[in-house]
Amino acid sequence: MRRIIATLTGATMAALIVPTLVTVAPASAEAVRTTQATATTAADPVSALKRQFRTHRGVKLTENTKIVGEGKKSRVIFTRRSGVLEFGRSGLVASDLTTKFNLPLPDNELKGLFTPSRTLSLKGVSYTSGGVFAESMPEGKKWLRTPGDAVSLVSAVQQIISTVEPGTLRATLAHTRAKRPGGTWDGTRTTVHSGTITLAELFRVSPAVRTMLGRKPVGRSATLPVTWKIYLGSDQLVRRVVSSYTESTRGLNSTELTYVNDTRYTGWGTKVTIKAPPADQVADFDELIGDTTRPEDPIGEIFKG
């Protein structure tokens, strides 16, 4: 599975606060009524999701990821992402997400690759503040611009099952093996669906996974099982997603990495407008100063080093 530092960089998000860039308000009474109505009109979770695709509406997201290395170096990496997703009439159109890391490393150059960062993604462009290239930014610039899906729309440690994609949600739930009460999340009782889906099928149905991997998985990678749990509220909207899979890199550094992602969705119908940062605070890669070379696989380096 390909993991490049550019991908990691672009999708990790900083805690830098710029209030003018994104406006988030609690769901209005109208939005709450619409969500409640969905509970009676939505025939299935995909229909319920599509009903949320309205201009300047969205959902809040909190995600905890644990990467466990087993083998030559037994270490654990923890990451936390939080922020908001914005929808349009056709689906996800923008995001404002912040990521922080908890690494099993002393203060050295490698640890500096995983500094907190914040990323705004919209209209095919992402803007990252903080993160791996923070010290290489030219004077007066706070945001690094990365176009398209080349570097910044996904993270090497993100939730691999993107349930805000209707096709991904439908394909994953088709592999449901069990259902049971899932407790109360975001103020609603849930039913947890659980099952397994292969990496090859996720690549086929999920734009986010295609961007993250870069190329179609083959051989043993194609059949890699991703175990998942999806918690659906009484309105059929997703409130929590837990997934896990193990990536074998024994031929490279005698390590197996297990990724466990736990994503919580709250405040469906939240009003949100995500804007690009001021142009005079934005820099491109060709404006970076100093040494901008980075390890190709920084996560692998942690467990190898």
Side-chain angles (χ1 to χ4, degrees), residues 150-172:
V151 291
S152 56
L153 299 186
V154 294
S155 164
V157 292
Q158 72 170 8
Q159 173 61 259
I160 197 169
I161 296 179
S162 179
T163 53
V164 295
E165 298 172 342
T168 302
L169 179 59
R170 179 185 294 108
T172 304

Side-chain angles (χ1 to χ4, degrees), residues 136-215:
S136 300
M137 295 289 287
E139 185 176 357
K141 305 290 186 178
K142 297 180 180 179
W143 299 87
L144 178 63
R145 174 167 44 207
T146 52
D149 61 6
V151 291
S152 56
L153 299 186
V154 294
S155 164
V157 292
Q158 72 170 8
Q159 173 61 259
I160 197 169
I161 296 179
S162 179
T163 53
V164 295
E165 298 172 342
T168 302
L169 179 59
R170 179 185 294 108
T172 304
L173 288 174
H175 291 273
T176 298
R177 293 183 177 177
K179 291 189 290 185
R180 60 176 176 80
T184 300
W185 298 95
D186 190 31
T188 182
R189 291 184 179 276
T190 65
T191 300
V192 56
H193 298 235
S194 59
T196 301
I197 189 171
T198 66
L199 188 61
E201 184 162 1
L202 280 174
F203 184 90
R204 180 178 63 82
V205 300
S206 173
V209 171
R210 288 195 292 271
T211 300
M212 180 167 63
L213 298 186
R215 59 184 178 183

